[in-house]
Amino acid sequence: MTGADRPEPHDEPDRTGGTDGSGGFGGGAYGSGAGSRIPMPRASVEDTGLPMPGLPVPGQPMPGPPPEAAPAAPPLVLDHAVLKSLLGAWALSACSAEEALAVEEHLGDCGPCAEEALRLRDAVGLLRPEESLDLDPGLRTRVLESCLGRRPPRIPVPEWAVPYDAETARLDALLKDIGDAEWHAPVRLRWFDDEGPVSRKTTVAGVIAHLIAVDGMVGLALGLDDPLGAEVRVPRDPDHRTEAYWRASYFPPTRAVRTPWREQTHELIRTVSFAGDGSGRLPVPYGPVPAPGDGAGPEARAVELPLRDAMTDRAFECWIHAGDIADAVDYPYAPPAPRHLHHMIDLAARLLPGTLAGRRRSGLATPSRGLVAAGAPGRSLRLEIEGHGGGEWLIPLDSPAATASRDHEVAHVALDGVEFCRLAAGHVSPEEAAAGQDGDREAIRDVLFSAASLSRM
């Protein structure tokens, strides 16, 4: 057969049963004709953006093609004045979708409006302050109250131990967030001694070791083991115990101190909870310690606090030293919950008369203006603590046994609650305390210096 008589390739019959290339596995893909071609793959309906076809339901006809989508609404056409008036709403994200689209298209063509829109957006940012990533310090308390309201505990934590429970939990959350290197960040413990500030340099781990040593004094009163060990014999006061604990460490404290500290805090809470609310009267010795300025040895004067006040004192110190740690590692830290802060302020206010009397015996305060019989009203200072957790306290000036009386008020001092606590912790000097003052200047000075004298290492 000559080339002229040979049929054209597209005239050859399809070996798969068709002549149009539409049959079989690809219509000529496996045929012998030179003109056979592989059809392009068909696009999936998933790639077209169209809705998926419905599945057949037995007994019902096949669903038809989906209805065509409604045509998009034409864009808004607004004049320049209207678009400019919408810039404020656009910056606040208060425009409708159509208005926002019209404004944004306009900003691409109008320079003055674009500059105005940028200024408005910056102003909106100032109206919405940045939210802290840290949890609300009162969140834990609210969650626990909600849970306990639904199912009260069989053995509740006494109310006077709750601030210690909360503050140790907050400090533990801070410690979980810091790295190994930050445990060796320098921290300076500060307090007020007689008439001047005192400081002691340590590390973050050293602060936790200090809390272990001093919390151990409460544990000893409850019959728990001494964290310093039975072989360590030191006077039962915070400074000596802390120095002894630091000396007993073969190496500088590391993050390993967190576990024994946290176990100790849990043991204290568990013990006072099983002991019940009546255990709050158990005496906790915080001495013997020397009286301010007397130069005597540690045998000079013993100090005791009832357990309920000792737990508040430990909560106060935990918060203060947590703030020291937070400053050292650049970590935000909020004050305690208002009702817990109130307990701390109340304890400091109740301790002021005795501290003032001690300073007067040491010649560090002005002499009493007159002897006042126990229980009789005498000169008083009204201490007003502002802010959350605040209140008013009347401080007797002439004798701790005297009765404070508003009729005998000779001075008035107003302080912010956190500022007063920082003063009582020795972190603010009496001269620098931002206090509103009115009345007897000597009485005001004596009370402010007595508040600072409450502090210790």
Side-chain angles (χ1 to χ4, degrees):
M1 183 181 295
T2 64
D5 298 328
R6 186 182 299 116
E8 293 297 325
H10 60 268
D11 291 334
E12 290 185 4
D14 191 337
R15 298 178 185 271
T16 60
T19 61
D20 60 355
S22 62
F25 298 91
Y30 298 96
S32 61
S36 299
R37 57 186 177 85
I38 301 175
M40 295 296 291
R42 291 179 296 174
S44 171
V45 68
E46 298 177 355
D47 300 329
T48 62
L50 298 175
M52 296 290 292
L55 296 177
V57 179
Q60 296 185 8
M62 288 289 293
E68 295 184 2
L76 291 178
V77 179
L78 304 173
D79 59 22
H80 178 273
V82 175
L83 292 169
K84 185 176 181 179
S85 67
L86 290 174
L87 293 180
W90 173 84
L92 292 169
S93 301
C95 289
S96 65
E98 294 81 6
E99 291 172 339
L101 180 60
V103 169
E104 290 166 3
E105 289 182 353
H106 176 69
L107 296 180
D109 300 327
C110 181
C113 286
E115 294 179 0
E116 180 68 16
L118 183 61
R119 286 193 293 269
L120 291 172
R121 269 289 166 93
D122 292 341
V124 169
L126 297 176
L127 295 175
R128 299 176 181 175
E130 296 181 0
E131 296 181 359
S132 173
L133 296 179
D134 296 300
L135 295 178
D136 180 358
L139 178 61
R140 180 177 183 274
T141 301
R142 294 196 298 271
V143 171
L144 288 177
E145 286 180 346
S146 175
C147 296
L148 296 177
R150 295 172 181 267
R151 184 179 180 182
R154 287 192 304 117
I155 304 174
V157 177
E159 179 64 26
W160 41 264
V162 171
Y164 178 78
D165 187 24
E167 291 308 309
T168 53
R170 291 209 304 146
L171 175 54
D172 189 50
L174 185 158
L175 298 177
K176 287 180 181 179
D177 279 355
I178 65 177
D180 291 342
E182 291 176 308
W183 281 85
H184 303 286
V187 179
R188 187 167 293 278
L189 300 178
R190 296 173 291 160
W191 66 99
F192 190 86
D193 183 18
D194 292 348
E195 294 185 309
V198 184
S199 65
R200 179 72 157 80
K201 187 176 181 181
T202 182
T203 63
V204 170
V207 175
I208 302 303
H210 165 61
L211 292 177
I212 291 176
V214 184
D215 284 358
M217 298 170 63
V218 180
L220 287 172
L222 291 169
L224 303 178
D225 294 335
D226 192 344
L228 274 66
E231 68 281 358
V232 179
R233 300 294 181 182
V234 295
R236 191 178 286 190
D237 75 274
D239 293 2
H240 286 81
R241 287 181 58 84
T242 299
E243 296 289 352
Y245 191 91
W246 285 342
R247 287 194 304 268
S249 301
Y250 293 104
F251 301 100
T254 64
R255 73 176 305 142
V257 301
R258 174 176 167 254
T259 298
W261 168 77
R262 195 62 177 127
E263 290 176 349
Q264 183 186 50
T265 62
H266 285 148
E267 185 68 16
L268 288 175
I269 292 297
R270 187 162 47 246
T271 303
V272 299
S273 298
F274 276 99
D277 189 70
S279 64
R281 295 185 296 271
L282 179 72
V284 178
Y286 271 79
V289 294
D294 60 7
E299 298 81 11
R301 179 171 59 92
V303 174
E304 284 187 350
L305 288 177
L307 179 60
R308 61 189 311 122
D309 288 344
M311 294 298 288
T312 301
D313 171 79
R314 303 314 308 141
F316 174 80
E317 187 164 357
C318 182
W319 163 46
I320 292 297
H321 288 323
D324 294 335
I325 293 173
D327 291 340
V329 299
D330 196 21
Y331 191 100
Y333 207 76
R339 65 174 182 171
H340 298 166
L341 187 63
H342 179 81
H343 288 308
M344 300 174 190
I345 295 171
D346 178 69
L347 174 61
R350 287 188 284 112
L351 293 176
L352 279 177
T355 306
L356 174 57
R359 288 181 59 84
R360 183 172 288 135
R361 288 192 298 266
S362 303
L364 299 175
T366 57
S368 175
R369 301 286 178 85
L371 296 178
V372 179
R379 293 187 314 132
S380 305
L381 177 142
R382 179 160 56 97
L383 176 64
E384 180 182 356
I385 303 301
E386 302 170 339
H388 298 296
E392 286 191 355
W393 288 262
L394 289 173
I395 312 299
L397 298 173
D398 294 320
S399 170
T403 300
S405 170
R406 190 176 293 273
D407 294 334
H408 293 75
E409 178 182 318
V410 298
H412 175 208
V413 173
L415 271 168
D416 175 73
V418 174
E419 185 79 359
F420 175 74
C421 289
R422 286 172 53 80
L423 173 64
H427 284 44
V428 176
S429 68
E431 297 90 351
E432 296 175 347
Q437 307 175 8
D438 182 40
D440 190 328
R441 295 298 175 184
E442 289 183 346
I444 292 172
R445 180 184 184 279
D446 288 343
V447 169
L448 291 179
F449 271 80
S450 296
S453 296
L454 293 171
S455 63
R456 60 173 181 268
M457 179 190 289

